[in-house]
Amino acid sequence: DAGVTQSPTHLIKTRGQQVTLRCSPKSGHDTVSWYQQALGQGPQFIFQYYEEEERQRGNFPDRFSGHQFPNYSSELNVNALLLGDSALYLCASSLQSLADFNEQFFGPGTRLTVL
Amino acid sequence: AQSVTQLGSHVSVSEGALVLLRCNYSSSVPPYLFWYVQYPNQGLQLLLKYTTGATLVKGINGFEAEFKKSETSFHLTKPSAHMSDAAEYFCAVSVFTGGGNKLTFGTGTQLKVEL
């Protein structure tokens, strides 16, 4: 059973460019969350997608946008890159349940470097 | 809103010694609490979680944590450290809303295990 996969593993961009990161959830999962982990910091919640809609959003500017596809995979897009966007971007998947907490399983992350 | 404070960004123990990593949380509603471990250049792995029920929870690799509501704490312990425990540990808090359950992480504690 494949876990959460992310691509690419590493990415180098320059300021002002746009980037797209991809995530495939764990088999059977329908919800995808994205987190940004700056060097030496804990992960910070960007947003969560369920049923192809953004359900929750953290304190990130509109330059950060996302999408979820019918097969539950997801993309994170960042426009007008800033040096401060350099970080490890983590994707986590879970199975939606109204009855209990939905454990999130994390992928290995995409390391984005902005020069 | 929820928050987590991890006391001590770096902890060093001798192999075979007790591991104690401290976590205090803030939440206006009953929280769900988690400990994750992150090895270099990898994603997050769940060590253990508290949702409801027994306040002493056991996780993988011999780790356990106790939820103490009166102290708003969820400290992580392991009786005997092993070299393979060297990693970064994150405490996280969430609340069950029935629709969206973002994780709020602490800043992490780097555990070093010495011979």
Side-chain angles (χ1 to χ4, degrees), chain A residues 50 55 95-102, chain B residues 96-100:
Chain A
Y50 171 67
R55 185 165 65 177
L95 177 62
Q96 166 70 5
S97 168
L98 296 177
D100 199 357
F101 186 84
N102 313 313
Chain B
F96 177 62
T97 62

Side-chain angles (χ1 to χ4, degrees), chain A residues 70-81:
Chain A
N71 66 353
Y72 308 119
S73 67
S74 177
E75 288 181 350
L76 164 64
N77 301 292
V78 187
N79 294 322
L81 285 167

Side-chain angles (χ1 to χ4, degrees), chain B residues 2 5 34-35 54 65 71 74 76 85 90 96 99 104 112:
Chain B
Q2 301 80 42
T5 301
F34 307 81
W35 275 100
E71 299 177 8
F74 190 59
L76 181 70
D85 294 328
F90 293 95
F96 177 62
T104 300
K112 183 178 179 180

Side-chain angles (χ1 to χ4, degrees), chain A residues 3-11 20-24 33-37 43 46 76 87-93 105-113, chain B residues 38-45:
Chain A
V4 179
T5 60
Q6 293 186 244
S7 64
T9 54
H10 294 85
L11 203 52
T20 298
L21 310 182
R22 296 176 176 81
C23 172
S24 291
S33 303
W34 287 92
Y35 294 81
Q36 180 196 65
Q37 185 179 16
I46 302 175
L76 164 64
L88 180 67
Y89 288 85
L90 296 166
C91 171
S93 73
F105 293 79
F106 284 82
T110 293
R111 173 74 62 186
L112 172 65
T113 301
Chain B
Q38 186 175 39
Y39 297 98
N41 301 314
Q42 294 188 26
L44 300 172
Q45 180 183 10

Side-chain angles (χ1 to χ4, degrees), chain A residues 21-58:
Chain A
L21 310 182
R22 296 176 176 81
C23 172
S24 291
K26 182 179 169 66
S27 179
H29 285 183
D30 57 9
T31 302
V32 173
S33 303
W34 287 92
Y35 294 81
Q36 180 196 65
Q37 185 179 16
L39 197 61
Q41 300 295 318
Q44 291 197 34
F45 176 76
I46 302 175
F47 41 53
Q48 183 178 84
Y49 276 83
Y50 171 67
E51 291 189 336
E52 302 180 46
E53 290 189 0
E54 184 182 289
R55 185 165 65 177
Q56 259 191 317
R57 188 179 182 92

